[in-house]
Amino acid sequence: MPLELSATEARVLALRQLGVDSDRDASVLDVVDRLGLLQVDSVNVFERAHYMPLFSRLGKFDKAELENLMGGFHPTLIEYWAHEASIIRLDNWPLYRWRMNAYRSKQSTHWGMEPGNKKLVAQITSQLLANGPMTSGQFETEANQRKGTWWGWSDLKQALEYMFLVGDLVSGGRDAFKRLYALPEQILPEHVLAQHPSDTDAKKALMLQATKALGVGTYTDIADWHRMSPTTNKKVFAELVESGDLKQVSVEGWLQPGFVNAATKLEGLEAKGAGARTTILSPFDPVCWKRDRIERMFGFEYRIEIYTPEPKRVYGYYTLPILHNRNLVGRIDLKSDRQGRRLLAQASWHEAAMKDSEVKAMAKALTKHLKEVQSWQGLQETIIMPKGNLSLELSTHLS
């Protein structure tokens, strides 16, 4: 008979394990160890994606703390494609060798790397040997010509990204957000280079890490954490359940069974415990990664509207979910006006089902939080623009 969790207990467990409930982590490294990774994204309207989950868990922190853990020889953190482009522990890099091998065996033709670009690969390798880690713009080659616009990568950029995917290159940090490419031996210590875990062992380790971070999740929730195919990894997952490393649970309202890491404590899941967090979340925060999961757990329908034409946007260009009282209760479209030194709330919305008293309490807590956001961003004032059903209440508390 599987364990049973109410919908509320599942939500509290998830928020606790994801690090956005009452207790705060102490450092950047604590957050990375909790989540396993930080997703990287280039959008910088408010703040880059990899800094925001840290802020949601640590509060006002020094971004240099993350940067000092990356780059150089034997860094503590490094980049790889874990859940999309991500920052991971250096020691976890070998756990993705199965993915590197899969890219090498299945995508070489797609990337145009065999047999055509051996000369370009040789140029990249020789220049890195001579110069150390380099950005794509620093290579001297006739192949460094963009094709078209937007994602119209040059042959050089395509080769660099392919070599990065298959592990022939690694990240040497970033220079003004441009990735530095390096040969593995220029960055990785010998004990990391020497690790070649079996595909099964590596996938099991990643699934256990994902389940611990999620608190509770379905098989597809867990597989999605490290972008594993739910079709081809059922056997590996079943072995973790059979061994007792994962325990099946029944969650109220879920059509699929849930699973928890056997090491996860299931006590203290009361919804009214002290210290519930009020914070904004990034669209690339693990709380928000899987849209069907947050609808299942929070009844919260969420899409970012970056690629939606402005006349068709409902909530705003880059809305951030609002976590309050252990629920997702609204969204706010923030922009850091760095030149004017203003934090702009371009639109702010609460969920339609909220009572007036709930809206007032949330707006008061959110206004206090926005002051912390403003300070973290080094801005001088916060402006609430009159768009959205929460804007008036926020303006009242702000003034």
Side-chain angles (χ1 to χ4, degrees):
M1 186 75 177
L3 297 168
E4 294 184 2
L5 293 176
S6 69
T8 299
E9 288 172 331
R11 185 168 63 246
V12 173
L13 175 61
L15 294 175
R16 185 185 74 188
Q17 293 299 114
L18 287 163
V20 287
D21 197 44
S22 53
D23 295 332
R24 288 190 185 271
D25 288 317
S27 70
V28 165
L29 208 51
D30 285 344
V31 176
V32 176
D33 286 341
R34 173 188 291 279
L35 301 176
L37 54 91
L38 298 171
Q39 186 175 342
V40 178
D41 188 80
S42 60
V43 177
N44 195 24
V45 177
F46 164 61
E47 183 54 271
R48 298 228 187 252
H50 52 294
Y51 294 121
M52 288 188 60
L54 296 169
F55 175 73
S56 297
R57 288 154 180 81
L58 300 172
K60 185 180 175 182
F61 79 102
D62 185 351
K63 290 186 281 187
E65 184 183 348
L66 173 62
E67 291 156 5
N68 291 339
L69 294 168
M70 302 179 65
F73 190 52
H74 296 189
T76 304
L77 303 176
I78 198 168
E79 289 185 45
Y80 187 64
W81 285 86
H83 180 101
E84 308 298 331
S86 303
I87 297 166
I88 61 172
R89 272 273 195 177
L90 176 69
D91 288 344
N92 286 344
W93 184 84
L95 294 177
Y96 299 93
R97 286 192 186 274
W98 59 271
R99 174 162 288 155
M100 299 172 198
N101 294 335
Y103 278 123
R104 191 184 298 277
S105 65
K106 296 180 181 178
Q107 295 202 21
S108 58
T109 303
H110 170 75
W111 282 77
M113 297 303 297
E114 286 184 357
N117 281 337
K118 291 183 179 179
K119 178 183 176 182
L120 180 53
V121 170
Q123 286 180 332
I124 290 169
T125 302
S126 64
Q127 290 185 41
L128 287 173
L129 283 169
N131 302 322
M134 300 166 65
T135 66
S136 60
Q138 292 173 325
F139 286 88
E140 295 182 7
T141 172
E142 67 279 359
N144 201 3
Q145 289 280 334
R146 282 178 62 91
K147 298 177 179 179
T149 58
W150 198 239
W151 293 111
W153 285 351
S154 66
D155 288 343
L156 171 69
K157 177 64 172 175
Q158 187 162 304
L160 289 170
E161 286 300 304
Y162 173 81
M163 294 174 74
F164 177 73
L165 284 172
V166 301
D168 290 345
L169 298 180
V170 298
S171 170
R174 285 184 178 256
D175 181 6
F177 200 66
K178 295 177 181 177
R179 180 183 290 138
L180 289 162
Y181 296 91
L183 299 170
E185 59 268 24
Q186 293 175 317
I187 300 296
L188 306 182
E190 182 57 39
H191 78 272
V192 171
L193 287 168
Q195 288 184 42
H196 291 267
S198 71
D199 291 2
T200 296
D201 287 346
K203 289 180 178 182
K204 283 183 178 180
L206 293 173
M207 284 182 175
L208 287 172
Q209 182 275 315
T211 312
K212 185 177 180 182
L214 279 165
V216 59
T218 64
Y219 167 55
T220 54
D221 291 340
I222 295 163
D224 181 69
W225 194 268
H226 292 285
R227 288 293 199 250
M228 295 180 179
S229 167
T231 303
T232 58
N233 290 291
K234 291 179 180 179
K235 183 175 183 294
V236 174
F237 186 81
E239 289 177 1
L240 286 172
V241 177
E242 185 177 352
S243 67
D245 292 298
L246 294 180
K247 295 187 179 298
Q248 184 174 329
V249 297
S250 174
V251 181
E252 178 188 2
W254 289 21
L255 299 179
Q256 301 297 323
F259 297 89
V260 298
N261 189 304
T264 298
K265 296 180 181 179
L266 300 181
E267 298 82 25
L269 300 180
E270 298 78 14
K272 295 184 178 181
R277 190 89 49 90
T278 296
T279 187
I280 55 172
L281 298 170
S282 163
F284 303 103
D285 191 293
V287 175
C288 309
W289 276 345
K290 209 164 184 298
R291 305 307 191 224
D292 70 309
R293 174 178 168 86
I294 61 174
E295 289 177 23
R296 185 191 334 132
M297 297 195 76
F298 299 97
F300 188 76
E301 294 185 10
Y302 177 61
R303 306 290 185 273
I304 54 175
E305 299 177 300
I306 292 176
Y307 304 113
T308 303
E310 185 172 1
K312 295 184 179 181
R313 289 178 196 147
V314 177
Y315 296 110
Y317 177 77
Y318 193 66
T319 55
L320 312 174
I322 302 165
L323 177 68
H324 171 74
N325 198 24
R326 299 187 172 94
N327 217 336
L328 296 177
V329 295
R331 63 208 85 202
I332 187 165
D333 185 11
L334 289 183
K335 178 179 180 178
S336 290
D337 175 10
R338 296 172 180 91
Q339 186 173 357
R341 302 199 68 183
R342 303 178 301 168
L343 178 66
L344 306 178
Q346 301 180 114
S348 44
W349 304 84
H350 65 77
E351 291 292 89
M354 293 179 69
K355 300 175 182 177
D356 288 346
S357 59
E358 294 172 330
V359 173
K360 290 180 184 296
M362 183 267 279
K364 182 178 180 180
L366 180 60
T367 303
K368 180 180 179 181
H369 181 63
L370 289 176
K371 284 297 184 183
E372 185 181 18
V373 173
Q374 174 192 311
S375 175
W376 178 54
Q377 289 287 289
L379 305 174
Q380 293 183 336
E381 64 176 329
T382 298
I383 305 295
I384 308 296
M385 296 183 175
K387 180 178 180 180
N389 61 5
L390 182 59
S391 59
L392 180 60
E393 195 67 45
L394 282 181
S395 296
T396 300
H397 283 287
L398 191 67
S399 61

